[in-house]
Amino acid sequence: MEALLTDEQKMFRQTLRDFGEKEIKPHVRAYIEKKEFPWEVIRKLAKLGALGVTIPVAYGGTEAGAMGVVIVMEETARAGIRAPLTHLGATRNISEFANHELKQKYLPPLASGEKIAAYAQTEPSVGSDAAAMRMTAELNGDYYYLNGTKVFITNGEVASTFVVLAKTDKSKKAEGISGFIVEREFPGFIIGKREKKMGSELIPSNELIFENCRVPRENLFVSQGDGFKKMMGSFNGERCGNSAACVGLAQAAFERALRYSQERETFGKPIAQHQGIQWMLADMAIQVRAGRLMTYDAAYKLDHGIRAVKESAMTKAYCNEMSQRVINMAIQIHGGYGYMEDYEVERMYRDVRGLAFGGGTPQILRSRIAYELIRGR
Ligand SMILES: Cc1cc2nc3c(=O)[nH]c(=O)nc-3n(C[C@H](O)[C@H](O)[C@H](O)COP(=O)(O)OP(=O)(O)OC[C@H]3O[C@@H](n4cnc5c(N)ncnc54)[C@H](O)[C@@H]3O)c2cc1C
């Protein structure tokens, strides 16, 4: 597994791990209780280059590829704050598809952490079937006018730069979708309600409302036709990042369970000496390792120009479900304490559950895997 990482990547991982231990872990509970976005952590992560891994060096980033995203997401999730995931997805979109002027304008403050980004695709009645989206963008003179509503948008109320998908041709399905960069201050753009949700309380999920939202025509950066299809291709990197967050959370839960099992005694000995607990620990370690291997493998392939659509989808489907199983076992090993907030494994379970939706649900991913298999890929 280590052979898939360069020395530079290993150093980056160690830096983030040390940062997570000192600067994230001790503060997680306080952020959650205040339901406060962890700006301080985000800005410090930016200084370490973690917010610019998908951004070219020429625009202030570190251009660290899919493996860079994996390292950032595994280490931040392991420490307890998996906030950068959506930002990295949106900045990847802008880096890959926008022209020089747009990149020059929007990417440097996103790499430095001065601003963060969001990605808006899901609508109240349209999730997995994105081609059915209803939001429209009509050109009139020098501006597009966007109308519609997006839901569940991560970072909604804290982001400044939004990647927004809308139909520029309502008569078409996926071919009618275009992508825009929308600034928070554009007229007609309203940040709607903040959702109350099961976990990840410190990362806001918002409704976004567009009422004749006026967007300069040059901010269209993904054109109808095959633009949306190409953009979906960049979801492979997003899937690796999501998988890495699952691995990080599962690893953290495993570490806590291993420690607790050696401290807690029943029937005159530590519970780690009961075979039933040992087998759970072994199962957890096997599955975290398998998930990490799959994640590194898919990211490595993407970074080396290998088409890894199937691998990325398999990785996310596996890691989404593996992490739920592993954290559930960690809760069980903690007994009743596992259900209580102080031991944190309950928080990990709630957090990880939310990772099984964006970037393709496990069902949609299985359909994609089968699509690839049937075509002999
Ligand atoms: C915590 C969180 C953060 C999110 N962040 C963002 C964000 O930042 N930006 C954004 O745009 N969206 C975001 N989303 C939305 C997410 O992308 C959608 O939830 C996801 O695409 C699924 O869409 P849906 O919820 O509408 O479910 P639906 O598409 O309505 O699906 C409902 C159920 O049916 C299943 N299903 C659907 N079609 C099929 C099929 N063909 N075969 C088998 N099963 C199927 C699904 O797997 C699911 O279980 C977020 C969601 C969550 C929970």
Side-chain angles (χ1 to χ4, degrees):
M1 176 151 50
E2 291 298 288
L4 294 175
L5 295 180
T6 63
D7 287 345
E8 202 183 337
Q9 287 167 336
K10 285 179 197 160
M11 270 170 54
F12 185 44
R13 185 179 60 181
Q14 191 58 52
T15 303
L16 289 183
R17 189 162 302 167
D18 294 343
F19 176 81
E21 288 294 326
K22 286 192 206 111
E23 306 275 354
I24 300 182
K25 256 191 196 172
H27 309 296
V28 174
R29 172 67 41 207
Y31 276 120
I32 291 174
E33 271 162 17
K34 285 188 269 174
K35 286 196 171 59
E36 184 183 300
F37 189 71
W39 274 116
E40 205 183 324
V41 170
I42 288 290
R43 300 236 155 91
K44 287 181 181 168
L45 279 170
K47 285 207 174 83
L48 299 175
L51 294 201
V53 285
T54 55
I55 297 177
V57 173
Y59 303 100
T62 55
E63 218 170 331
M67 196 65 91
V69 174
V70 163
I71 292 169
V72 172
M73 290 319 306
E74 182 176 348
E75 296 308 325
T76 53
R78 182 178 184 160
I81 292 182
R82 59 163 189 83
L85 184 61
T86 304
H87 170 89
L88 298 181
T91 51
R92 181 192 298 108
N93 292 148
I94 298 173
S95 298
E96 279 188 25
F97 301 108
N99 61 26
H100 170 67
E101 285 72 27
L102 289 173
K103 286 188 207 175
Q104 184 103 299
K105 181 171 180 188
Y106 289 108
L107 291 177
L110 293 171
S112 71
E114 185 192 325
K115 294 180 174 176
I116 64 159
Y119 175 84
Q121 175 179 316
T122 307
E123 299 183 357
S125 55
V126 179
S128 307
D129 183 12
M133 80 173 48
R134 296 185 180 171
M135 183 151 155
T136 56
E138 281 179 36
L139 184 62
N140 188 351
D142 287 339
Y143 295 94
Y144 279 96
Y145 290 84
L146 272 54
N147 280 290
T149 303
K150 300 288 184 186
V151 290
F152 308 154
I153 307 307
T154 303
N155 295 342
E157 67 190 44
V158 292
S160 303
T161 308
F162 295 76
V163 169
V164 179
L165 301 186
K167 285 235 168 119
T168 41
D169 184 346
K170 283 186 277 187
S171 69
K172 299 214 167 83
K173 292 190 169 177
E175 299 78 29
I177 297 174
S178 296
F180 298 86
I181 301 177
V182 175
E183 293 177 28
R184 190 186 181 82
E185 295 77 21
F186 282 173
F189 179 28
I190 301 154
I191 309 290
K193 68 168 172 159
R194 178 178 176 147
E195 298 291 346
K196 291 184 183 147
K197 53 189 179 176
M198 177 178 175
S200 296
E201 299 96 328
L202 51 82
I203 308 172
S205 299
N206 291 84
E207 182 183 44
L208 305 181
I209 301 147
F210 298 81
E211 286 178 358
N212 271 330
C213 171
R214 206 177 70 179
V215 179
R217 64 185 300 168
E218 59 270 20
N219 276 33
L220 179 147
F221 79 109
V222 175
S223 303
Q224 64 180 63
D226 64 352
F228 178 67
K229 198 173 158 202
K230 284 189 189 149
M231 201 171 176
M232 288 299 101
S234 83
F235 256 91
N236 296 318
E238 170 94 358
R239 286 174 183 162
C240 291
N242 179 302
S243 304
C246 292
V247 170
L249 277 157
Q251 173 73 33
F254 165 71
E255 284 167 9
R256 279 171 170 73
L258 182 61
R259 198 168 56 232
Y260 184 81
S261 69
Q262 292 167 86
E263 292 162 3
R264 180 73 173 180
E265 293 195 359
T266 65
F267 303 98
K269 54 186 176 184
I271 58 170
Q273 287 182 28
H274 299 304
Q275 193 180 49
I277 298 290
Q278 288 175 351
W279 285 7
M280 271 200 264
L281 290 168
D283 278 339
M284 292 162 85
I286 292 167
Q287 294 180 47
V288 174
R289 181 170 162 74
R292 183 177 291 117
L293 270 168
M294 289 176 80
T295 305
Y296 281 23
D297 171 68
Y300 180 89
K301 286 189 169 128
L302 289 174
D303 285 346
H304 288 77
I306 300 166
R307 189 178 183 279
V309 177
K310 184 179 67 186
E311 289 85 344
S312 307
M314 284 177 163
T315 300
K316 183 173 184 288
Y318 180 76
C319 289
N320 284 169
E321 295 170 352
M322 171 280 286
S323 51
Q324 292 171 32
R325 285 194 302 273
V326 165
I327 301 174
N328 196 25
M329 282 191 266
I331 293 174
Q332 198 59 36
I333 288 175
H334 279 78
Y337 287 112
Y339 196 68
M340 307 300 160
E341 283 187 0
D342 282 351
Y343 285 76
E344 283 213 292
V345 281
E346 63 81 35
R347 189 265 303 162
M348 293 173 189
Y349 190 77
R350 293 185 291 106
D351 281 2
V352 96
R353 196 63 191 84
L355 286 164
F357 301 98
T361 64
Q363 293 72 40
I364 295 298
L365 293 169
R366 282 182 169 83
S367 297
R368 182 69 211 196
I369 294 161
Y371 178 92
E372 294 287 311
L373 290 172
I374 288 162
R375 281 155 187 80
R377 294 176 186 150

